Amino acid sequence: MPTIAVDAMGGDQAPEETVRGVADVSLQTDIDCLLVGDEDRIQAVLERVAYNPEQIAIRHCTETIASGDDPRESVRTRRDASLLVAIRAVAEERADAVVSAGNTGACILGAARHFRPLAGVRRAALAAVLPRRAQHPGQDPLALLLDAGATVHCDADELVRFAVMGSAYARRVSKVPAPRVGLLNMGGEPSKGGEVLVETHRRLAALPGLDFVGNVEGHELVTGRADVIVCEGLLGNVALKLFEGISEALVDLARAAAERKLVWRMGLRLLAQGVDSLQALTDYRRYGGAPILGFEQLLLTCHGRSDARAIANAVKVAAKAVRDRVPAEIAGALGGGWR
Amino acid sequence: MKLPHRRPRPAPAPPPLLCRWDLDKTYLRSEFDTLRQLIRTARERGEDKVEVPGVPALMKALQAAADRRGRPIAAHFISASPPQIGKAIRDKLALDGVPYDGIVFKNQLQHLARGRFRFLREHVGFKLGELFRGRLEALPGTRELLFGDDWESDPLTYSLYADVVSGRLAPAGLEPLLRRLGVDGQVLPELGMLAARACGLDGADRILINLERRTPPAVFRLFGPRLVPTFNYFQTALVLAADGWLESEDVARVAAALVERSGYTARRLENSLADLLRRRLVASEVARSLGRPLREARLLPPEPRSWRGWMERVRVRLRRAPVVGPQAGPLDYEAIFARMRPGTARAGAQGARA
């Protein structure tokens, strides 16, 4: 039974939705949770919802890091912040993984400060899941995109490590025996994208044990061409947010159109099931959190707007990753031989 | 001058303890949400029946604690199940080796024969009558513990009973409440008579509700501090120990049963204890003294010895508000009806307008 430390105060709707999510997990699964945050506020929410106290511990702390706070300064000065206390609980082996919907920058810096990096990893990567059209039999409907914002620019060495880490994660969590790895670029030819991407392409193509499918262009992100898409953080974050924005805009446009004409409204009614499934496909709440890869310990960051369902799914993904020994798999793939 | 030797006065015998237990969902993990489950439950034999984890150990612990102090104790089950399943129930209780003194079932055939089907699911009147009768037969000065669950009407039935017995609710005030609950009009005169005889006997100290459905604890605030909702029988044992009915060795017995028979871990028991502390049902000092032998027996994890752990314990103790005792003020039955039985509240309001 893994124990997941949850930053109860992180996120736009914390602690209400965070605590509700953990309460749901306590009723649906055998996962133990350590809620970190203001005990009185956490308890006030708990008493209003159905929960199983046997699987919930609370660690009181007094400070929080808000989404708008400077990550570097906050991590340096707020030792008793819920996020950092949760991270330390994992570092000190009182819990197995962290889930937070709080400040992503503080998550990455906090992990870098308290977690042990895997052998050979210089920089961690934020791995986000991306819904896509499956093209091959048994293919996971989600692709992994990394880095989605832990870094800004990377060199070829770091991108190669991201590819290896992402491939190992997909192998364990998505149960894909040989994940197809692609490099996000502005063209399919190996010579495209500048010095770093050309060098990365050359090295990935030569790497044994990795199913490298070559460069992947923007429009191929939502196809089944690659299970793991590698890029530097700036590009990955822009791609991810663009994708979220487009899917939200599509649903909004459809609703706005329906309000204008009766015929369109009727048409939308007929298409309701399809629109719902499109919305469900792009709904971040279904996919839990994005893991930060590169450490011996696990941290999953969730969307800042996460509700109870998103938090519950993130906790379940974290527990699955712990059970499947994902960091050990990644270390093995990197040749670190950790544990 | 030498004082004449005086024989020490013997300590007064402790008052008798009467424990009243609901059966389904309190003692037994009965499933009857669907017709199929109901039929299966009715056909089960004693060995097929499954108890709620820890409850046999708690009943034995209550008996052992009473025996050590020379306190007379009796345990009675009141079940709304039909007497036709009595044999299987008695077999199950015998298999578990729990000490009990009586068991009463609801005679559903009586209602069926008269075609009064709506009273088949009305249990408040039946249970209240049995509670009054049992109390009137008990020894003078008897104290009572009432055990139920969050599935049907136990919190309401037990609260009405305890309020009448304590004299907070006059027998004349009981009848209109029972009418609104849909209690069979034919039994109301007898209930009124029983209530009048039991009124003022006092001693219904605690109502312990097993949260089998995981109902949010805040729902039960309307019932006052006398009623304690607990998530497992380890928590129930801790509350009873804090009230002085059990000692730490009895709590350890319940904890050990949960670990050995139901797969509980030390950490999950610790979480259960911490939940009681946060809900202010047990004081920190009491939890600490009760927890010590449990930690020695490894039923609870060892306390962290670091200065950080010590600081944390001090900080928690300073932050927590004092524990609320079981003394209940008058209950607001209007609010309870509105929360627990919205239809009843509406009917009452309409009746008042008419």
Side-chain angles (χ1 to χ4, degrees), chain B residues 73-150:
Chain B
I73 181 171
H76 286 267
F77 287 97
I78 302 174
S79 172
S81 296
Q84 286 73 18
I85 64 162
K87 184 181 179 312
I89 301 291
R90 288 189 187 91
D91 287 350
K92 171 63 180 164
L93 294 171
L95 275 174
D96 292 345
V98 296
Y100 73 101
D101 303 86
I103 182 163
V104 185
F105 295 99
K106 186 178 177 187
N107 189 356
Q108 303 280 31
L109 284 178
Q110 192 184 336
H111 291 302
L112 275 174
R114 291 186 203 161
R116 294 145 59 89
F117 300 109
R118 72 190 177 97
F119 295 116
L120 290 175
R121 287 188 61 79
E122 195 294 298
H123 306 317
V124 177
F126 159 72
K127 283 203 168 182
L128 212 45
E130 291 306 324
L131 287 165
F132 285 137
R133 278 187 206 97
R135 183 56 200 261
L136 291 169
E137 288 167 10
L139 294 167
T142 291
R143 310 274 299 275
E144 278 187 86
L145 298 172
L146 307 162
F147 297 87
D149 60 74
D150 58 344

Side-chain angles (χ1 to χ4, degrees), chain B residues 34-48:
Chain B
T34 62
L35 185 64
R36 181 179 288 183
Q37 287 173 340
L38 188 68
I39 293 167
R40 196 178 60 204
T41 301
R43 295 176 64 183
E44 275 176 346
R45 292 172 301 175
E47 59 265 37
D48 301 327

Side-chain angles (χ1 to χ4, degrees), chain A residues 3 30 32 43 47 51 54, chain B residues 221 232 264 267 275 278:
Chain A
T3 301
D30 65 348
D32 287 329
Q43 185 62 23
E47 289 196 32
Y51 70 104
E54 294 160 12
Chain B
R221 285 207 190 112
N232 55 45
Y264 274 66
R267 182 186 282 201
D275 177 71
R278 289 194 302 270

Side-chain angles (χ1 to χ4, degrees), chain A residues 4 9 12 36 61 72 95 105 122 135 148 173 183 194 215 221 274 290:
Chain A
I4 309 301
M9 312 309 283
D12 301 346
V36 184
C61 61
R72 201 168 295 278
R122 279 184 291 150
Q135 283 182 345
V173 174
L183 180 66
N215 286 342
L221 282 173

Side-chain angles (χ1 to χ4, degrees), chain A residues 39-40 43 58-60, chain B residues 273-285 287 312-323:
Chain A
E39 188 184 74
D40 292 340
Q43 185 62 23
I58 299 178
R59 166 70 167 82
H60 176 72
Chain B
L273 171 60
D275 177 71
L276 278 188
L277 284 164
R278 289 194 302 270
R279 290 198 281 139
R280 297 181 211 156
L281 296 172
V282 173
S284 300
E285 311 80 64
E312 176 62 17
R313 285 200 299 278
V314 171
R315 192 164 63 171
V316 165
R317 192 176 297 186
L318 290 175
R319 285 183 61 251
R320 289 217 168 106
V323 169

